[in-house]
């Protein structure tokens, strides 16, 4: 039961079973960056800005205020895990097409919360739904409108596909 | 900095045993959203951390055996509480309060037990839990005891819990038949900020439209949530007057001053938000007289 200052946790990280080693008082963001996952970006270290967001069992959490050992037994996804087989996800592709970033520092966080929002909803999304889902993200370049546009575009396409499937 | 030892007990008894052994030198960790900040900013340097993450049975939400209350396990997250259909119908003001804490990332990690025991004066859920007379179940070496939220919160970051006690659940009574309730948060700086003023309201109307019961609890204006029994008693039997209640509470309170607002500003916000919260609670009354048309 007792574990020393160093702790090892097992989790499924971007689809691969992984053991992570870290220190008790360290946040999860540091442990993940040590794995080379630099998409986990620490900015405010206060839980406010959202750049360090990761998906923990599908839900966005701020890794800078998450104890490292809370990753134990969970499925963890970082922005590096959004693409598959070297191909960007539809959401990532749409961020490029909608020019949903300038400097792109905030982008990994926005993408992960948007991916979770799309996963937990069906069909088209309203501005309000997107704003609510992405409330925990700051963009100092002020790309909020194009981010919203990108997420809504992906949701609308999916809506069209759902409707098409229903009609068939 | 020497790193604390971390314990992962699997039962409440085991967690209590570790806390007891460390006699105040150990810190409980639930969601860790507050503890992580305290550790990183060196506000605390505990010898041990006692993580509750592997303790069984602290994540349930359900009706109590008697059926008169909802039990929220201490590790239930804010997001889970906010969207739980039974809590939303049985005690809407409590679900409201969990729904407006911080941002989605905070709500996915922060727990029901954590926000109460952190005892920050500028939190949302404590005011709502106080308004509905919720109690916590605290477990220590001698067994369990029941502590009303009113008695739990003693002052700034100070609770009635002993060093060797943990909160295992929070018990939220069902609202009285026909009653309406709401929790409104006013934040003065940014959307994820803690409240400048939070108002929890419960309203029940008599068949003739007069006020049968009103409860108002103000959060973030003092060390602990503020309730004024005289004003509640004075409102009974008279037509419900949200604006009048707003004025009465603004006169009665002695708000603190911080980065989110001066004492004067908070008093004025109490005036506005008490009226709004009482109005919102009245609109949710069931079975009673219909609310007057909007406008
Ligand atoms: C960016 C940000 C915004 C926020 N905004 C708001 C807001 O708008 N409104 C608001 O109300 N709050 C806000 N908070 C505070 C947040 O609600 C608390 O950090 C959170 O509720 C603490 O819960 P936790 O489970 O993470 O607790 P932890 O960090 O794990 O613990 C908090 C404290 O409680 C103790 N503790 C925890 N669980 C137990 C238990 N079961 N028994 C005994 N002791 C226990 C710990 O020892 C510690 O002292 C915000 C926090 C952040 C980071
Ligand atoms: S770095 Fe974690 S929320 Fe800002
Ligand atoms: S694109 Fe620069 S911070 Fe968002």
């Amino acid at each position: 039961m007792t574990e020393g200052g160093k702790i090892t946790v097992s989790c499924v990280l971007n689809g691969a079973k992984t053991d992570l080693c870290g220190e008790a008082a360290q946040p999860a963001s540091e442990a993940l960056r040590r794995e080379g996952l630099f998409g986990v970006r620490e900015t405010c270290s206060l839980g406010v800005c959202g750049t360090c967001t990761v998906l923990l069992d599908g839900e966005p959490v701020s890794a800078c205020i998450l104890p490292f050992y809370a990753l134990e037994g969970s499925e963890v996804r970082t922005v590096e895990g959004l693409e598959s087989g070297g191909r960007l996800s539809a959401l990532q592709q749409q961020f490029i097409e909608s020019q949903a970033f300038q400097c792109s520092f905030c982008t990994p966080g926005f993408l992960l919360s948007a991916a979770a929002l799309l996963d937990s909803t069906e069909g088209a999304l309203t501005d309000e739904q997107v704003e609510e889902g992405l409330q925990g993200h700051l963009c100092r370049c002020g790309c909020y409108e194009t981010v919203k546009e990108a997420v809504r575009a992906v949701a609308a396409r999916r809506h069209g596909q759902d409707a098409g499937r229903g009609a068939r | 900095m020497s790193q604390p030892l971390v314990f992962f007990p699997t039962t409440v008894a085991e967690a209590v045993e570790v806390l007891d052994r460390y006699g105040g030198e150990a810190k409980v960790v639930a969601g860790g959203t507050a503890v992580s900040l305290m550790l990183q900013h060196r506000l605390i340097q505990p010898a041990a951390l006692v993580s509750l993450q592997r303790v069984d049975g602290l994540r349930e939400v359900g009706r109590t055996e008697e059926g008169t209350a909802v039990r929220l396990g201490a590790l239930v997250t804010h997001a889970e509480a906010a969207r739980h259909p039974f809590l939303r119908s049985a005690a809407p003001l409590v679900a409201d309060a969990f729904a407006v804490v911080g941002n989605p990332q905070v709500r996915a990690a922060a727990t029901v037990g954590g926000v109460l025991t952190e005892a920050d004066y500028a939190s949302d859920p404590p005011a709502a839990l106080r308004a509905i007379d919720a109690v916590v179940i605290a477990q220590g070496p001698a067994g369990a005891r029941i502590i009303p939220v009113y008695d739990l919160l003693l002052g700034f970051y100070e609770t009635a819990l002993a060093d060797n006690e943990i909160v295992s659940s929070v018990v939220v009574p069902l609202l009285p038949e026909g009653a309406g309730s709401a929790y409104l948060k006013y934040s003065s700086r940014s959307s994820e900020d803690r409240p400048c003023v939070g108002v929890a309201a419960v309203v029940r109307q008599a068949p003739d439209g007069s006020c049968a019961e009103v409860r108002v609890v103000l959060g973030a204006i003092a060390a602990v949530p503020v309730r004024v029994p005289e004003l509640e008693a004075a409102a009974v039997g008279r037509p419900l007057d949200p604006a009048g209640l707003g004025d009465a509470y603004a006169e009665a309170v002695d708000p603190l001053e911080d980065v989110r607002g001066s004492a004067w500003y908070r008093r004025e916000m109490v005036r506005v938000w008490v009226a709004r919260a009482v109005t919102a609670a009245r609109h949710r009354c069931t079975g009673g007289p219909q609310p007057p048309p909007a406008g």
Side-chain angles (χ1 to χ4, degrees):
Chain A
M1 273 304 95
T2 314
E3 322 242 353
K6 288 263 182 216
I7 313 170
T8 303
V9 305
S10 307
C11 59
V12 176
L13 181 54
N14 292 331
K17 224 180 155 313
T18 311
D19 285 342
L20 297 173
C21 191
E23 284 172 350
Q26 247 172 13
S29 48
E30 282 178 31
L32 293 168
R33 287 180 64 83
R34 259 204 317 277
E35 290 295 300
L37 299 169
F38 299 122
V40 184
R41 296 171 172 172
E42 209 171 313
T43 309
C44 67
S45 306
L46 291 170
V48 170
C49 73
T51 61
C52 65
T53 300
V54 302
L55 300 185
L56 189 65
D57 294 325
E59 277 208 87
V61 293
S62 292
C64 70
I65 52 168
L66 184 75
F68 155 64
Y69 45 82
L71 300 177
E72 169 70 32
S74 329
E75 218 223 293
V76 185
R77 198 162 291 274
T78 69
V79 74
E80 288 84 353
L82 282 187
E83 58 182 62
S84 56
R87 284 181 52 140
L88 296 182
S89 67
L91 177 67
Q92 289 171 302
Q93 198 58 49
Q94 188 62 49
F95 262 55
I96 297 172
E97 274 152 39
S98 300
Q99 302 191 5
F101 47 79
Q102 285 184 43
C103 79
S104 78
F105 199 82
C106 64
T107 309
F110 270 109
L111 282 169
L112 288 161
S113 282
L117 177 67
L118 288 165
D119 273 349
S120 63
T121 51
E122 280 173 17
L125 292 173
T126 62
D127 271 350
E128 291 70 40
Q129 282 175 300
V130 178
E131 280 165 18
E132 211 170 283
L134 303 183
Q135 182 216 344
H137 295 272
L138 298 179
C139 172
R140 292 293 90 162
C141 300
C143 298
Y144 299 108
E145 290 305 316
T146 45
V147 167
K148 221 169 6 182
E149 185 188 306
V151 179
R152 289 197 58 187
V154 175
R157 253 193 335 261
R158 142 185 101 163
H159 186 52
Q161 282 165 3
D162 290 351
R165 230 179 277 142
R168 239 173 286 147
Chain B
M1 182 179 80
S2 75
Q3 289 280 333
L5 289 174
V6 191
F7 292 84
F8 296 100
T10 54
T11 63
V12 169
E14 221 179 286
V16 166
E17 187 272 318
V18 179
L19 289 175
D20 195 43
R21 186 142 43 85
Y22 275 87
E25 295 300 313
K27 189 85 179 153
V28 173
V29 185
T33 59
V35 173
S36 295
L37 287 175
M38 295 179 212
L39 286 169
Q40 283 167 59
H41 296 272
R42 311 269 168 96
L43 298 175
I44 54 169
Q45 294 197 341
L49 295 170
V50 182
S51 165
L52 300 182
Q53 72 190 41
R54 291 185 205 165
V55 177
D56 269 346
L58 300 183
R59 295 180 196 272
E60 273 110 59
V61 183
R63 206 183 262 263
T64 53
E65 279 130 48
E66 316 79 58
T68 54
V70 190
R71 184 187 301 279
L72 302 172
L75 291 189
V76 170
T77 65
H78 287 33
E80 287 163 347
R83 66 177 172 240
H84 198 276
F86 184 45
L87 187 67
R88 285 168 64 107
S89 67
L93 80 170
V94 175
D96 286 355
F98 282 113
V100 295
V101 167
N103 61 30
Q105 295 98 312
V106 170
R107 294 195 291 273
T111 66
V112 167
V115 75
L116 271 176
T117 37
E118 184 195 15
D120 192 297
Y121 70 98
S123 289
D124 296 291
L129 291 165
R130 167 82 180 96
I132 202 165
D133 292 323
V135 302
V136 305
I137 310 299
Q139 309 247 17
R145 63 178 177 129
I146 296 173
I147 313 176
V149 166
Y150 174 66
D151 297 320
L152 177 76
L153 302 171
L154 297 181
F156 293 104
Y157 309 102
E158 201 191 328
T159 70
L161 282 186
D163 289 337
N164 56 12
E165 279 183 314
I166 68 162
V167 170
S168 58
S169 64
V170 179
V171 179
V172 180
L174 307 187
L175 272 184
E177 193 69 32
S181 74
Y183 176 81
L184 296 185
K185 167 185 184 174
Y186 169 62
S187 29
S188 52
R189 304 192 301 176
S190 55
S191 75
E192 85 299 327
D193 197 17
R194 288 173 175 275
C196 170
V197 171
V199 185
V202 177
V203 168
R204 200 157 48 81
Q205 287 175 287
D208 67 359
S210 68
C211 172
E213 182 184 7
V214 64
R215 290 184 235 165
V216 171
V217 176
L218 301 161
I221 66 157
V224 296
V226 173
R227 189 163 173 179
V228 189
E230 307 83 67
L231 291 182
E232 294 182 7
V236 171
R238 308 187 16 198
L240 190 69
D241 173 13
L245 281 167
D247 289 337
Y249 277 91
E251 298 316 317
V253 297
D254 181 18
L256 54 69
E257 180 153 342
D258 69 8
V259 290
R260 298 185 187 90
S262 65
W264 174 85
Y265 184 68
R266 271 199 162 83
R267 187 188 302 281
E268 293 310 310
M269 291 302 105
V270 164
R271 196 186 305 281
V272 172
W273 290 87
V274 165
R276 290 184 186 172
V278 169
T279 304
R282 179 174 61 187
H283 282 311
R284 284 179 175 168
C285 285
T286 53
Q290 287 306 301

